[in-house]
Amino acid sequence: MLEISHVSMAYANGAIKAVDDLSFELRPGEIFGFLGANGAGKTTTIKMVTGILPVKSGSIKVCGHDITSDSVEAKRSFGFVPDSPIIFDKYTGREYIDFLGDIYGVSAEDRRTRSAALLKRFSLEDAFDKRISGYSHGMKQKIAIIGALIHDPSLWILDEPMMGLDPPSAFALKELMREHRDAGKTVFFSTHILDVAEKICDRVAIISKGKLILCGNIEEIKAAQGDESLEEIFMQVAGGNE
């Protein structure tokens, strides 16, 4: 579903390594948590996975498509929710979703059905025909989530998705992530909220200073570390290192 192989990214003419020889794979039918302190390299990695930043060292494949050499097909395979929703705010919510539906070739019937169900989940029906410029941060986050799912992607990528969401919306998001996984698809998300990761992830990767520190099944990691909580394990292997 997603293959990251020996990927590195450096800044300041190579003096600062944001990502350092990173390799791991995501499988169909799992929620995969990407964990690390601020500056660990999570967002840089996600930007390379999504094609926002170029992959200069190593390779990334999304559903078998190389993000560099086959970028259009790779991008068709995923939906992406960034850490800060940057949306065409002169559009209404409906116009924005229709715009994305057109890009991904989603039929009018499918986009109506999918958007109606998602709007209801996030209690956003009344704002759908209002301009996004008048949305709160949380509302923009919700319309970004709906837009990322409108083409029913095989891989759903989220960077700190809980930021700005109220408790009912955060609950709805976690339900959607589980449903996506249960449909045989994959969720890849970064988060600082370790108790959320512990509850919903099947596997996690922990990175520190761009390097992979731990990767695996949550229960297996906890058993190997003496059945401690994910938060305690994180603090031992990556806490305070940034």
Side-chain angles (χ1 to χ4, degrees), residues 42-56:
K42 303 187 304 299
T43 294
T44 297
T45 301
I46 287 174
K47 285 183 176 179
M48 287 191 285
V49 168
T50 54
I52 296 170
L53 288 177
V55 180
K56 295 183 178 179

Side-chain angles (χ1 to χ4, degrees), residues 61-82:
K61 291 184 178 181
V62 183
C63 299
H65 303 288
D66 190 282
I67 192 63
T68 299
S69 62
D70 195 9
S71 62
V72 173
E73 289 305 313
K75 290 174 182 179
R76 288 184 191 277
S77 304
F78 66 77
F80 175 46
V81 181

Side-chain angles (χ1 to χ4, degrees), residues 98-230:
D98 279 339
F99 169 71
L100 292 175
D102 289 342
I103 286 177
Y104 288 107
V106 182
S107 70
E109 181 179 354
D110 283 347
R111 73 181 70 167
R112 278 196 301 269
T113 302
R114 290 172 189 164
S115 63
L118 291 165
L119 288 163
K120 185 175 181 181
R121 297 284 283 268
F122 288 112
S123 301
L124 206 61
E125 302 102 311
D126 293 343
F128 198 37
D129 288 307
K130 296 178 181 177
R131 292 197 182 277
I132 294 171
S133 58
Y135 283 17
S136 67
H137 177 83
M139 292 165 69
K140 289 179 180 179
Q141 185 78 345
K142 289 186 273 189
I143 202 71
I145 290 167
I146 293 169
L149 291 175
I150 200 65
H151 62 300
D152 194 24
S154 298
L155 174 63
W156 187 15
I157 304 169
L158 308 98
D159 192 4
E160 298 290 349
M162 305 296 175
M163 292 177 63
L165 294 182
D166 56 23
S169 298
F171 180 81
L173 176 59
K174 287 180 281 187
E175 281 192 320
L176 284 168
M177 292 166 77
R178 291 187 180 104
E179 290 167 15
H180 205 72
R181 183 263 318 274
D182 293 344
K185 298 169 185 176
T186 304
V187 178
F188 177 43
F189 82 108
S190 72
T191 184
H192 285 121
I193 309 173
L194 297 178
D195 60 338
V196 169
E198 184 168 0
K199 288 175 182 175
I200 71 170
C201 289
D202 301 294
R203 291 195 300 142
V204 297
I206 299 176
I207 66 169
S208 177
K209 297 182 180 179
K211 286 183 173 291
L212 185 66
I213 304 299
L214 276 178
C215 184
N217 176 279
I218 286 225
E219 294 307 317
E220 291 173 356
I221 288 174
K222 288 172 65 177
Q225 299 288 330
D227 289 322
E228 295 180 327
S229 70
L230 184 60

